[in-house]
PDB file of all heavy atoms in Angstrom:
ATOM      1  N   PRO A  26     112.871 113.748 103.991  1.00  0.00           N
ATOM      2  CA  PRO A  26     113.377 115.104 104.241  1.00  0.00           C
ATOM      3  C   PRO A  26     112.939 115.669 105.583  1.00  0.00           C
ATOM      4  O   PRO A  26     113.657 116.475 106.177  1.00  0.00           O
ATOM      5  CB  PRO A  26     112.828 115.928 103.071  1.00  0.00           C
ATOM      6  CG  PRO A  26     111.731 115.120 102.493  1.00  0.00           C
ATOM      7  CD  PRO A  26     112.026 113.696 102.788  1.00  0.00           C
ATOM      8  N   ALA A  27     111.786 115.243 106.084  1.00  0.00           N
ATOM      9  CA  ALA A  27     111.371 115.673 107.423  1.00  0.00           C
ATOM     10  C   ALA A  27     112.332 115.119 108.469  1.00  0.00           C
ATOM     11  O   ALA A  27     112.772 115.835 109.377  1.00  0.00           O
ATOM     12  CB  ALA A  27     109.947 115.209 107.706  1.00  0.00           C
ATOM     13  N   ALA A  28     112.678 113.852 108.339  1.00  0.00           N
ATOM     14  CA  ALA A  28     113.589 113.227 109.293  1.00  0.00           C
ATOM     15  C   ALA A  28     114.955 113.896 109.287  1.00  0.00           C
ATOM     16  O   ALA A  28     115.584 114.059 110.341  1.00  0.00           O
ATOM     17  CB  ALA A  28     113.735 111.748 108.975  1.00  0.00           C
ATOM     18  N   LEU A  29     115.429 114.304 108.113  1.00  0.00           N
ATOM     19  CA  LEU A  29     116.756 114.912 108.007  1.00  0.00           C
ATOM     20  C   LEU A  29     116.787 116.357 108.501  1.00  0.00           C
ATOM     21  O   LEU A  29     117.863 116.942 108.593  1.00  0.00           O
ATOM     22  CB  LEU A  29     117.251 114.851 106.560  1.00  0.00           C
ATOM     23  CG  LEU A  29     117.508 113.446 106.001  1.00  0.00           C
ATOM     24  CD1 LEU A  29     118.136 113.529 104.621  1.00  0.00           C
ATOM     25  CD2 LEU A  29     118.386 112.620 106.930  1.00  0.00           C
ATOM     26  N   HIS A  30     115.620 116.920 108.822  1.00  0.00           N
ATOM     27  CA  HIS A  30     115.556 118.303 109.307  1.00  0.00           C
ATOM     28  C   HIS A  30     114.938 118.439 110.692  1.00  0.00           C
ATOM     29  O   HIS A  30     114.805 119.554 111.205  1.00  0.00           O
ATOM     30  CB  HIS A  30     114.783 119.176 108.314  1.00  0.00           C
ATOM     31  CG  HIS A  30     115.535 119.439 107.054  1.00  0.00           C
ATOM     32  ND1 HIS A  30     115.438 118.627 105.951  1.00  0.00           N
ATOM     33  CD2 HIS A  30     116.425 120.415 106.732  1.00  0.00           C
ATOM     34  CE1 HIS A  30     116.235 119.091 105.007  1.00  0.00           C
ATOM     35  NE2 HIS A  30     116.834 120.169 105.446  1.00  0.00           N
ATOM     36  N   GLY A  31     114.522 117.339 111.286  1.00  0.00           N
ATOM     37  CA  GLY A  31     113.923 117.420 112.609  1.00  0.00           C
ATOM     38  C   GLY A  31     112.587 118.117 112.626  1.00  0.00           C
ATOM     39  O   GLY A  31     112.206 118.738 113.622  1.00  0.00           O
ATOM     40  N   ILE A  32     111.851 118.010 111.513  1.00  0.00           N
ATOM     41  CA  ILE A  32     110.501 118.572 111.455  1.00  0.00           C
ATOM     42  C   ILE A  32     109.507 117.425 111.309  1.00  0.00           C
ATOM     43  O   ILE A  32     109.889 116.259 111.247  1.00  0.00           O
ATOM     44  CB  ILE A  32     110.348 119.588 110.301  1.00  0.00           C
ATOM     45  CG1 ILE A  32     110.603 118.925 108.939  1.00  0.00           C
ATOM     46  CG2 ILE A  32     111.287 120.780 110.506  1.00  0.00           C
ATOM     47  CD1 ILE A  32     110.354 119.838 107.745  1.00  0.00           C
ATOM     48  N   VAL A  33     108.224 117.756 111.255  1.00  0.00           N
ATOM     49  CA  VAL A  33     107.178 116.738 111.161  1.00  0.00           C
ATOM     50  C   VAL A  33     106.783 116.529 109.705  1.00  0.00           C
ATOM     51  O   VAL A  33     106.573 117.497 108.963  1.00  0.00           O
ATOM     52  CB  VAL A  33     105.940 117.160 111.974  1.00  0.00           C
ATOM     53  CG1 VAL A  33     104.796 116.160 111.773  1.00  0.00           C
ATOM     54  CG2 VAL A  33     106.289 117.264 113.452  1.00  0.00           C
ATOM     55  N   GLY A  34     106.695 115.282 109.298  1.00  0.00           N
ATOM     56  CA  GLY A  34     106.179 114.933 107.983  1.00  0.00           C
ATOM     57  C   GLY A  34     105.044 113.953 108.138  1.00  0.00           C
ATOM     58  O   GLY A  34     105.220 112.894 108.759  1.00  0.00           O
ATOM     59  N   ILE A  35     103.872 114.288 107.641  1.00  0.00           N
ATOM     60  CA  ILE A  35     102.697 113.417 107.769  1.00  0.00           C
ATOM     61  C   ILE A  35     102.325 112.841 106.409  1.00  0.00           C
ATOM     62  O   ILE A  35     102.103 113.578 105.442  1.00  0.00           O
ATOM     63  CB  ILE A  35     101.487 114.175 108.336  1.00  0.00           C
ATOM     64  CG1 ILE A  35     101.709 114.512 109.813  1.00  0.00           C
ATOM     65  CG2 ILE A  35     100.214 113.342 108.184  1.00  0.00           C
ATOM     66  CD1 ILE A  35     100.543 115.208 110.460  1.00  0.00           C
ATOM     67  N   LYS A  36     102.295 111.521 106.347  1.00  0.00           N
ATOM     68  CA  LYS A  36     101.730 110.816 105.196  1.00  0.00           C
ATOM     69  C   LYS A  36     100.494 110.080 105.686  1.00  0.00           C
ATOM     70  O   LYS A  36     100.588 109.110 106.437  1.00  0.00           O
ATOM     71  CB  LYS A  36     102.721 109.822 104.597  1.00  0.00           C
ATOM     72  CG  LYS A  36     102.150 109.034 103.417  1.00  0.00           C
ATOM     73  CD  LYS A  36     103.124 107.995 102.896  1.00  0.00           C
ATOM     74  CE  LYS A  36     102.529 107.268 101.681  1.00  0.00           C
ATOM     75  NZ  LYS A  36     103.458 106.262 101.118  1.00  0.00           N
ATOM     76  N   ALA A  37      99.339 110.571 105.277  1.00  0.00           N
ATOM     77  CA  ALA A  37      98.085 109.939 105.690  1.00  0.00           C
ATOM     78  C   ALA A  37      97.857 108.650 104.907  1.00  0.00           C
ATOM     79  O   ALA A  37      98.492 108.396 103.873  1.00  0.00           O
ATOM     80  CB  ALA A  37      96.920 110.901 105.469  1.00  0.00           C
ATOM     81  N   THR A  38      96.945 107.818 105.399  1.00  0.00           N
ATOM     82  CA  THR A  38      96.539 106.621 104.669  1.00  0.00           C
ATOM     83  C   THR A  38      96.110 107.003 103.260  1.00  0.00           C
ATOM     84  O   THR A  38      95.435 108.024 103.048  1.00  0.00           O
ATOM     85  CB  THR A  38      95.359 105.945 105.396  1.00  0.00           C
ATOM     86  OG1 THR A  38      95.790 105.587 106.718  1.00  0.00           O
ATOM     87  CG2 THR A  38      94.888 104.698 104.668  1.00  0.00           C
ATOM     88  N   LEU A  39      96.511 106.203 102.279  1.00  0.00           N
ATOM     89  CA  LEU A  39      96.174 106.508 100.889  1.00  0.00           C
ATOM     90  C   LEU A  39      94.671 106.704 100.731  1.00  0.00           C
ATOM     91  O   LEU A  39      93.876 105.913 101.223  1.00  0.00           O
ATOM     92  CB  LEU A  39      96.647 105.381  99.975  1.00  0.00           C
ATOM     93  CG  LEU A  39      98.159 105.135  99.930  1.00  0.00           C
ATOM     94  CD1 LEU A  39      98.489 103.985  98.980  1.00  0.00           C
ATOM     95  CD2 LEU A  39      98.906 106.398  99.505  1.00  0.00           C
ATOM     96  N   GLY A  40      94.308 107.784 100.054  1.00  0.00           N
ATOM     97  CA  GLY A  40      92.903 108.096  99.821  1.00  0.00           C
ATOM     98  C   GLY A  40      92.323 109.101 100.786  1.00  0.00           C
ATOM     99  O   GLY A  40      91.240 109.636 100.527  1.00  0.00           O
ATOM    100  N   ILE A  41      93.024 109.402 101.881  1.00  0.00           N
ATOM    101  CA  ILE A  41      92.502 110.363 102.851  1.00  0.00           C
ATOM    102  C   ILE A  41      92.636 111.793 102.323  1.00  0.00           C
ATOM    103  O   ILE A  41      91.692 112.586 102.382  1.00  0.00           O
ATOM    104  CB  ILE A  41      93.232 110.230 104.201  1.00  0.00           C
ATOM    105  CG1 ILE A  41      92.973 108.851 104.812  1.00  0.00           C
ATOM    106  CG2 ILE A  41      92.817 111.342 105.160  1.00  0.00           C
ATOM    107  CD1 ILE A  41      91.535 108.598 105.169  1.00  0.00           C
ATOM    108  N   ILE A  42      93.807 112.128 101.807  1.00  0.00           N
ATOM    109  CA  ILE A  42      94.040 113.444 101.185  1.00  0.00           C
ATOM    110  C   ILE A  42      94.073 113.235  99.683  1.00  0.00           C
ATOM    111  O   ILE A  42      94.867 112.446  99.177  1.00  0.00           O
ATOM    112  CB  ILE A  42      95.362 114.065 101.672  1.00  0.00           C
ATOM    113  CG1 ILE A  42      95.306 114.327 103.175  1.00  0.00           C
ATOM    114  CG2 ILE A  42      95.660 115.357 100.927  1.00  0.00           C
ATOM    115  CD1 ILE A  42      96.602 114.847 103.771  1.00  0.00           C
ATOM    116  N   PRO A  43      93.210 113.912  98.933  1.00  0.00           N
ATOM    117  CA  PRO A  43      93.114 113.643  97.489  1.00  0.00           C
ATOM    118  C   PRO A  43      94.392 113.995  96.740  1.00  0.00           C
ATOM    119  O   PRO A  43      95.083 114.957  97.069  1.00  0.00           O
ATOM    120  CB  PRO A  43      91.946 114.525  97.037  1.00  0.00           C
ATOM    121  CG  PRO A  43      91.801 115.574  98.087  1.00  0.00           C
ATOM    122  CD  PRO A  43      92.244 114.943  99.370  1.00  0.00           C
ATOM    123  N   THR A  44      94.696 113.185  95.732  1.00  0.00           N
ATOM    124  CA  THR A  44      95.855 113.431  94.883  1.00  0.00           C
ATOM    125  C   THR A  44      95.481 114.116  93.567  1.00  0.00           C
ATOM    126  O   THR A  44      96.292 114.180  92.649  1.00  0.00           O
ATOM    127  CB  THR A  44      96.605 112.120  94.585  1.00  0.00           C
ATOM    128  OG1 THR A  44      95.709 111.191  93.978  1.00  0.00           O
ATOM    129  CG2 THR A  44      97.188 111.530  95.855  1.00  0.00           C
ATOM    130  N   HIS A  45      94.266 114.632  93.500  1.00  0.00           N
ATOM    131  CA  HIS A  45      93.886 115.438  92.333  1.00  0.00           C
ATOM    132  C   HIS A  45      94.892 116.566  92.146  1.00  0.00           C
ATOM    133  O   HIS A  45      95.281 117.236  93.099  1.00  0.00           O
ATOM    134  CB  HIS A  45      92.490 116.031  92.525  1.00  0.00           C
ATOM    135  CG  HIS A  45      92.191 117.185  91.612  1.00  0.00           C
ATOM    136  ND1 HIS A  45      92.358 118.498  92.005  1.00  0.00           N
ATOM    137  CD2 HIS A  45      91.766 117.224  90.326  1.00  0.00           C
ATOM    138  CE1 HIS A  45      92.041 119.297  91.007  1.00  0.00           C
ATOM    139  NE2 HIS A  45      91.678 118.547  89.976  1.00  0.00           N
ATOM    140  N   GLY A  46      95.349 116.768  90.905  1.00  0.00           N
ATOM    141  CA  GLY A  46      96.270 117.857  90.617  1.00  0.00           C
ATOM    142  C   GLY A  46      97.726 117.533  90.852  1.00  0.00           C
ATOM    143  O   GLY A  46      98.574 118.428  90.828  1.00  0.00           O
ATOM    144  N   VAL A  47      98.038 116.264  91.075  1.00  0.00           N
ATOM    145  CA  VAL A  47      99.421 115.826  91.292  1.00  0.00           C
ATOM    146  C   VAL A  47      99.938 115.132  90.032  1.00  0.00           C
ATOM    147  O   VAL A  47      99.257 114.272  89.471  1.00  0.00           O
ATOM    148  CB  VAL A  47      99.506 114.848  92.485  1.00  0.00           C
ATOM    149  CG1 VAL A  47     100.920 114.265  92.626  1.00  0.00           C
ATOM    150  CG2 VAL A  47      99.092 115.547  93.768  1.00  0.00           C
ATOM    151  N   VAL A  48     101.135 115.516  89.597  1.00  0.00           N
ATOM    152  CA  VAL A  48     101.790 114.789  88.514  1.00  0.00           C
ATOM    153  C   VAL A  48     102.173 113.417  89.067  1.00  0.00           C
ATOM    154  O   VAL A  48     102.941 113.332  90.026  1.00  0.00           O
ATOM    155  CB  VAL A  48     103.054 115.524  88.033  1.00  0.00           C
ATOM    156  CG1 VAL A  48     103.770 114.709  86.956  1.00  0.00           C
ATOM    157  CG2 VAL A  48     102.703 116.909  87.503  1.00  0.00           C
ATOM    158  N   PRO A  49     101.657 112.338  88.511  1.00  0.00           N
ATOM    159  CA  PRO A  49     101.890 111.032  89.136  1.00  0.00           C
ATOM    160  C   PRO A  49     103.331 110.551  88.996  1.00  0.00           C
ATOM    161  O   PRO A  49     103.956 110.706  87.954  1.00  0.00           O
ATOM    162  CB  PRO A  49     100.920 110.110  88.395  1.00  0.00           C
ATOM    163  CG  PRO A  49     100.661 110.782  87.085  1.00  0.00           C
ATOM    164  CD  PRO A  49     100.752 112.253  87.343  1.00  0.00           C
ATOM    165  N   ALA A  50     103.838 109.990  90.088  1.00  0.00           N
ATOM    166  CA  ALA A  50     105.080 109.218  90.030  1.00  0.00           C
ATOM    167  C   ALA A  50     104.708 107.750  89.866  1.00  0.00           C
ATOM    168  O   ALA A  50     105.149 107.067  88.961  1.00  0.00           O
ATOM    169  CB  ALA A  50     105.906 109.429  91.292  1.00  0.00           C
ATOM    170  N   CYS A  51     103.828 107.288  90.760  1.00  0.00           N
ATOM    171  CA  CYS A  51     103.180 105.982  90.640  1.00  0.00           C
ATOM    172  C   CYS A  51     101.811 106.144  91.265  1.00  0.00           C
ATOM    173  O   CYS A  51     101.680 106.166  92.493  1.00  0.00           O
ATOM    174  CB  CYS A  51     103.989 104.896  91.348  1.00  0.00           C
ATOM    175  SG  CYS A  51     103.223 103.259  91.247  1.00  0.00           S
ATOM    176  N   ALA A  52     100.803 106.308  90.423  1.00  0.00           N
ATOM    177  CA  ALA A  52      99.475 106.729  90.886  1.00  0.00           C
ATOM    178  C   ALA A  52      98.900 105.816  91.962  1.00  0.00           C
ATOM    179  O   ALA A  52      98.148 106.262  92.827  1.00  0.00           O
ATOM    180  CB  ALA A  52      98.518 106.817  89.700  1.00  0.00           C
ATOM    181  N   ASP A  53      99.250 104.536  91.932  1.00  0.00           N
ATOM    182  CA  ASP A  53      98.705 103.607  92.920  1.00  0.00           C
ATOM    183  C   ASP A  53      99.244 103.859  94.319  1.00  0.00           C
ATOM    184  O   ASP A  53      98.636 103.427  95.314  1.00  0.00           O
ATOM    185  CB  ASP A  53      99.022 102.161  92.524  1.00  0.00           C
ATOM    186  CG  ASP A  53      98.199 101.688  91.337  1.00  0.00           C
ATOM    187  OD1 ASP A  53      97.168 102.328  91.049  1.00  0.00           O
ATOM    188  OD2 ASP A  53      98.583 100.693  90.704  1.00  0.00           O
ATOM    189  N   TYR A  54     100.376 104.565  94.420  1.00  0.00           N
ATOM    190  CA  TYR A  54     101.027 104.736  95.719  1.00  0.00           C
ATOM    191  C   TYR A  54     101.263 106.196  96.097  1.00  0.00           C
ATOM    192  O   TYR A  54     101.700 106.478  97.211  1.00  0.00           O
ATOM    193  CB  TYR A  54     102.370 103.985  95.741  1.00  0.00           C
ATOM    194  CG  TYR A  54     102.210 102.497  95.599  1.00  0.00           C
ATOM    195  CD1 TYR A  54     102.428 101.878  94.369  1.00  0.00           C
ATOM    196  CD2 TYR A  54     101.820 101.722  96.680  1.00  0.00           C
ATOM    197  CE1 TYR A  54     102.268 100.514  94.223  1.00  0.00           C
ATOM    198  CE2 TYR A  54     101.653 100.343  96.536  1.00  0.00           C
ATOM    199  CZ  TYR A  54     101.883  99.749  95.308  1.00  0.00           C
ATOM    200  OH  TYR A  54     101.712  98.398  95.178  1.00  0.00           O
ATOM    201  N   ASP A  55     100.982 107.126  95.207  1.00  0.00           N
ATOM    202  CA  ASP A  55     101.215 108.546  95.492  1.00  0.00           C
ATOM    203  C   ASP A  55     100.328 109.031  96.632  1.00  0.00           C
ATOM    204  O   ASP A  55      99.170 108.629  96.754  1.00  0.00           O
ATOM    205  CB  ASP A  55     100.930 109.409  94.255  1.00  0.00           C
ATOM    206  CG  ASP A  55     101.926 109.189  93.134  1.00  0.00           C
ATOM    207  OD1 ASP A  55     103.048 108.736  93.411  1.00  0.00           O
ATOM    208  OD2 ASP A  55     101.572 109.491  91.975  1.00  0.00           O
ATOM    209  N   ALA A  56     100.874 109.933  97.443  1.00  0.00           N
ATOM    210  CA  ALA A  56     100.110 110.578  98.510  1.00  0.00           C
ATOM    211  C   ALA A  56     100.554 112.023  98.621  1.00  0.00           C
ATOM    212  O   ALA A  56     101.737 112.333  98.427  1.00  0.00           O
ATOM    213  CB  ALA A  56     100.332 109.871  99.846  1.00  0.00           C
ATOM    214  N   VAL A  57      99.621 112.918  98.903  1.00  0.00           N
ATOM    215  CA  VAL A  57      99.953 114.308  99.219  1.00  0.00           C
ATOM    216  C   VAL A  57     100.269 114.374 100.709  1.00  0.00           C
ATOM    217  O   VAL A  57      99.525 113.831 101.533  1.00  0.00           O
ATOM    218  CB  VAL A  57      98.796 115.257  98.859  1.00  0.00           C
ATOM    219  CG1 VAL A  57      99.089 116.674  99.338  1.00  0.00           C
ATOM    220  CG2 VAL A  57      98.558 115.250  97.350  1.00  0.00           C
ATOM    221  N   THR A  58     101.377 115.023 101.044  1.00  0.00           N
ATOM    222  CA  THR A  58     101.857 115.026 102.423  1.00  0.00           C
ATOM    223  C   THR A  58     102.035 116.439 102.960  1.00  0.00           C
ATOM    224  O   THR A  58     101.993 117.420 102.213  1.00  0.00           O
ATOM    225  CB  THR A  58     103.193 114.278 102.521  1.00  0.00           C
ATOM    226  OG1 THR A  58     104.141 114.897 101.643  1.00  0.00           O
ATOM    227  CG2 THR A  58     103.040 112.827 102.133  1.00  0.00           C
ATOM    228  N   VAL A  59     102.259 116.519 104.262  1.00  0.00           N
ATOM    229  CA  VAL A  59     102.380 117.796 104.961  1.00  0.00           C
ATOM    230  C   VAL A  59     103.698 117.840 105.731  1.00  0.00           C
ATOM    231  O   VAL A  59     104.071 116.869 106.392  1.00  0.00           O
ATOM    232  CB  VAL A  59     101.223 117.987 105.965  1.00  0.00           C
ATOM    233  CG1 VAL A  59     101.402 119.274 106.759  1.00  0.00           C
ATOM    234  CG2 VAL A  59      99.880 117.985 105.256  1.00  0.00           C
ATOM    235  N   PHE A  60     104.386 118.993 105.651  1.00  0.00           N
ATOM    236  CA  PHE A  60     105.528 119.283 106.509  1.00  0.00           C
ATOM    237  C   PHE A  60     105.174 120.462 107.410  1.00  0.00           C
ATOM    238  O   PHE A  60     104.521 121.412 106.972  1.00  0.00           O
ATOM    239  CB  PHE A  60     106.759 119.694 105.692  1.00  0.00           C
ATOM    240  CG  PHE A  60     107.278 118.643 104.757  1.00  0.00           C
ATOM    241  CD1 PHE A  60     107.038 118.733 103.388  1.00  0.00           C
ATOM    242  CD2 PHE A  60     108.020 117.577 105.235  1.00  0.00           C
ATOM    243  CE1 PHE A  60     107.530 117.784 102.522  1.00  0.00           C
ATOM    244  CE2 PHE A  60     108.510 116.609 104.367  1.00  0.00           C
ATOM    245  CZ  PHE A  60     108.267 116.701 103.008  1.00  0.00           C
ATOM    246  N   ALA A  61     105.623 120.406 108.650  1.00  0.00           N
ATOM    247  CA  ALA A  61     105.449 121.531 109.568  1.00  0.00           C
ATOM    248  C   ALA A  61     106.507 121.431 110.656  1.00  0.00           C
ATOM    249  O   ALA A  61     107.124 120.377 110.860  1.00  0.00           O
ATOM    250  CB  ALA A  61     104.051 121.535 110.184  1.00  0.00           C
ATOM    251  N   ALA A  62     106.700 122.526 111.360  1.00  0.00           N
ATOM    252  CA  ALA A  62     107.700 122.541 112.425  1.00  0.00           C
ATOM    253  C   ALA A  62     107.263 121.730 113.633  1.00  0.00           C
ATOM    254  O   ALA A  62     108.103 121.255 114.397  1.00  0.00           O
ATOM    255  CB  ALA A  62     108.004 123.983 112.842  1.00  0.00           C
ATOM    256  N   ASP A  63     105.957 121.558 113.820  1.00  0.00           N
ATOM    257  CA  ASP A  63     105.467 120.806 114.968  1.00  0.00           C
ATOM    258  C   ASP A  63     104.235 120.005 114.577  1.00  0.00           C
ATOM    259  O   ASP A  63     103.594 120.266 113.549  1.00  0.00           O
ATOM    260  CB  ASP A  63     105.147 121.740 116.142  1.00  0.00           C
ATOM    261  CG  ASP A  63     104.074 122.754 115.800  1.00  0.00           C
ATOM    262  OD1 ASP A  63     102.890 122.391 115.799  1.00  0.00           O
ATOM    263  OD2 ASP A  63     104.424 123.918 115.536  1.00  0.00           O
ATOM    264  N   LEU A  64     103.915 119.026 115.402  1.00  0.00           N
ATOM    265  CA  LEU A  64     102.834 118.092 115.079  1.00  0.00           C
ATOM    266  C   LEU A  64     101.484 118.787 115.034  1.00  0.00           C
ATOM    267  O   LEU A  64     100.641 118.471 114.192  1.00  0.00           O
ATOM    268  CB  LEU A  64     102.822 116.955 116.108  1.00  0.00           C
ATOM    269  CG  LEU A  64     101.805 115.846 115.860  1.00  0.00           C
ATOM    270  CD1 LEU A  64     102.045 115.161 114.522  1.00  0.00           C
ATOM    271  CD2 LEU A  64     101.860 114.814 116.998  1.00  0.00           C
TER     272      LEU A  64
END
C-alpha cells in the first residue's frame, strides 16, 4: 500500500519492532510496520 500511494513503508528486520499485541497472521513472519509521507 505504500508503493501504491507514493509514501514510505518501513518493514524492519524481524524482531526489531516487537509484535506484542498483534493478532497473528503468521507469527513466524509477522512484523509491525510504519507508514509516513517521508523517510
Side-chain angles (χ1 to χ4, degrees):
L29 295 186
H30 288 91
I32 61 175
V33 175
I35 290 182
K36 178 184 182 179
T38 300
L39 297 180
I41 296 296
I42 297 176
T44 57
H45 162 264
V47 174
V48 177
C51 179
D53 288 342
Y54 296 100
D55 292 337
V57 174
T58 58
V59 176
F60 298 104
D63 61 78
L64 184 60

